[in-house]
Amino acid sequence: MKRKEITLLTDYQGRFGSRHNDQPYRSGMNRQKLGKYFSHWGWDTRFTPFSAVDFADTDQRGRVYLYTSSEDQDYYYKDYIEDIVFGLELADALMIPPYKYLRANNNKVMMEILREHSGLSQLNAPKSWRLGTLEELMDVIAEIPFPCVLKTASGASGKGVYLAGNPKDLINKARSVSRTRNLRFEARDRGRALKHAGYQRESLYRKKFIVQEFIPDLENDWKVYVFGEKLYVFFRPILNGRGIKASGGGYDNYFYGREARAPDGLFDFAWSVFSALSIPHASLDIAFDGKNFYLLEFQAVYFGTAGILNSEHYFQKEKGVWQPGKNSRDIEQVYVESIVKFLNHVD
């Protein structure tokens, strides 16, 4: 069988992907193991830095690329990664996952756009409003039911998530999270208003955010990872002192695998969402109010993997029933198998 080649794009420190309990700390996945597992499935791997991508090479059509992302402070380097990945997609390379999912990584506004664009009911609840300025919030605030949830566009582990009890509370919280302070710019803009009659000053609150319908009486949510046909699940309780946030409560406080108290229908709902996204793996945050399931957030690239390391079992559907299987806890193996399965389907 003819061997094929796959390129893994690495960051400026040579890292690829994210791996819970990596050694050394924050070093990503083990590149040697990735190469070994891909080789087992007939794929030769090439690790290439983002900065070494040659856009003068016009023969990118059909080449297969995987890539890492970044959670660097203020996302400056992630912004650069987006340029490279989008450029390769424009050159007709096969980017896994497609650029739109990188754009949605730690970007809740883009995540909401993907929900709306999908037209699929399992991706479109709870209702959200995506907003670029405080002024845009004022235009729609009469539509928003209270209490509601305010989320900054970026942020993980429950950061940037707030409950607003009434319009005044929401406006105050939105004003705080969206403030774009630049004293020199603001002084110049005040000058423009004095000089030019009818001039409308720029907003002082231009950090994007979303407002989301509040689901009452939740005591927890579930994080579900889907890799290929395997589901890894953990139960995240809302701990005292964390308000409405289950995320970020600490991995030692979660319940994994068969201990995750998964309600009937959770795995089928997670699978329906995953199947709609057409990607090799995903991280899904799911809530259940006793009647309906809600997809709170999702990620398709560069998400945590603690649920794989901490779970004794994964779940896979066999003859119409979700059955537990013994988990190897080998993140690189699970990752590679999901990619290979996806590529086999693409082929």
Side-chain angles (χ1 to χ4, degrees):
M1 182 177 66
K2 182 180 179 181
R3 296 183 66 82
K4 296 171 281 189
E5 184 177 82
I6 190 167
T7 301
L8 286 74
L9 296 174
T10 59
D11 69 10
Y12 66 97
Q13 294 181 322
R15 299 174 297 191
F16 180 86
S18 61
R19 188 189 193 283
H20 191 64
N21 287 347
D22 46 3
Q23 296 294 331
Y25 177 61
R26 299 193 75 177
S27 57
M29 293 187 187
N30 185 300
R31 290 172 48 163
Q32 287 71 35
K33 291 178 70 175
L34 289 170
K36 180 183 73 171
Y37 290 131
F38 272 118
S39 180
H40 171 77
W41 291 103
W43 288 84
D44 292 327
T45 53
R46 180 176 64 172
F47 290 89
T48 301
F50 286 105
S51 59
V53 172
D54 181 9
F55 286 99
D57 180 357
T58 58
D59 189 25
Q60 295 286 1
R61 180 182 295 273
R63 289 186 185 177
V64 182
Y65 286 87
L66 305 177
Y67 56 89
T68 191
S69 185
S70 176
E71 293 182 348
D72 63 307
Q73 183 67 36
D74 296 320
Y75 297 100
Y76 295 124
Y77 191 69
K78 179 181 181 283
D79 187 57
Y80 168 72
I81 290 173
E82 287 189 14
D83 292 340
I84 303 300
V85 172
F86 188 45
L88 284 168
E89 193 167 281
L90 290 175
D92 293 325
L94 177 58
M95 306 307 297
I96 303 177
Y99 166 75
K100 62 184 180 181
Y101 294 111
L102 172 62
R103 180 66 183 167
N105 178 235
N106 285 318
N107 180 352
K108 296 180 179 65
V109 168
M110 187 64 195
M111 195 183 304
E112 295 308 312
I113 292 171
L114 292 183
R115 285 184 196 259
E116 294 176 37
H117 186 263
S118 75
L120 299 170
S121 60
Q122 63 264 48
L123 300 188
N124 281 323
K127 180 175 174 56
S128 297
W129 292 260
R130 43 181 171 74
L131 303 160
T133 68
L134 182 67
E135 289 80 0
E136 289 183 346
L137 170 62
M138 303 304 293
D139 290 339
V140 300
I141 198 164
E143 305 172 12
I144 299 172
F146 289 90
C148 63
V149 178
L150 170 69
K151 295 182 179 181
T152 57
S154 61
S157 300
K159 295 178 181 178
V161 178
Y162 308 92
L163 182 67
N166 55 61
K168 182 178 179 180
D169 188 25
L170 176 60
I171 291 168
N172 287 337
K173 287 183 167 73
R175 180 179 283 113
S176 176
V177 303
S178 65
R179 181 70 166 101
T180 44
R181 187 176 298 279
N182 185 314
L183 297 180
R184 179 177 293 181
F185 165 80
E186 292 169 22
R188 291 178 62 187
D189 206 45
R190 283 195 296 270
R192 293 189 188 104
L194 293 172
K195 183 177 180 180
H196 303 284
Y199 173 75
Q200 295 187 49
R201 292 178 56 186
E202 299 287 346
S203 173
L204 304 180
Y205 305 92
R206 302 187 315 280
K207 290 182 181 177
K208 60 188 178 183
F209 58 94
I210 69 167
V211 177
Q212 199 170 64
E213 283 185 337
F214 175 63
I215 306 170
D217 303 323
L218 294 182
E219 297 180 354
N220 67 280
D221 69 12
W222 285 268
K223 172 79 79 174
V224 180
Y225 301 147
V226 188
F227 281 80
E229 295 180 346
K230 297 178 179 178
L231 273 63
Y232 302 80
V233 59
F234 52 102
F235 173 102
R236 305 189 299 186
I238 298 176
L239 303 174
N240 290 335
R242 290 194 55 77
I244 60 172
K245 297 178 285 189
S247 177
Y251 292 116
D252 292 340
N253 296 312
Y254 300 155
F255 299 88
Y256 299 87
R258 299 176 90 174
E259 307 300 319
R261 313 173 195 174
D264 291 342
L266 175 66
F267 294 156
D268 284 332
F269 177 79
W271 185 254
S272 71
V273 170
F274 176 70
S275 299
L277 296 174
S278 298
I279 50 180
H281 42 253
S283 172
L284 312 174
D285 294 359
I286 299 173
F288 181 56
D289 64 4
K291 181 179 179 181
N292 298 306
F293 291 99
Y294 301 90
L295 178 65
L296 302 179
E297 295 182 12
F298 66 93
Q299 298 289 350
V301 61
Y302 204 72
F303 51 82
T305 53
I308 297 177
L309 286 181
N310 292 330
S311 297
E312 290 188 11
H313 299 90
Y314 62 84
F315 293 86
Q316 189 167 344
K317 203 164 195 177
E318 298 177 3
K319 297 180 179 180
V321 178
W322 291 100
Q323 300 285 1
K326 188 67 175 177
N327 179 22
S328 69
R329 305 185 195 231
D330 189 328
I331 290 171
E332 287 82 2
Q333 182 181 40
V334 170
Y335 174 82
V336 169
E337 288 179 353
S338 73
I339 297 295
V340 171
K341 179 175 177 56
F342 179 78
L343 287 171
N344 288 341
H345 178 71
V346 170
D347 291 342

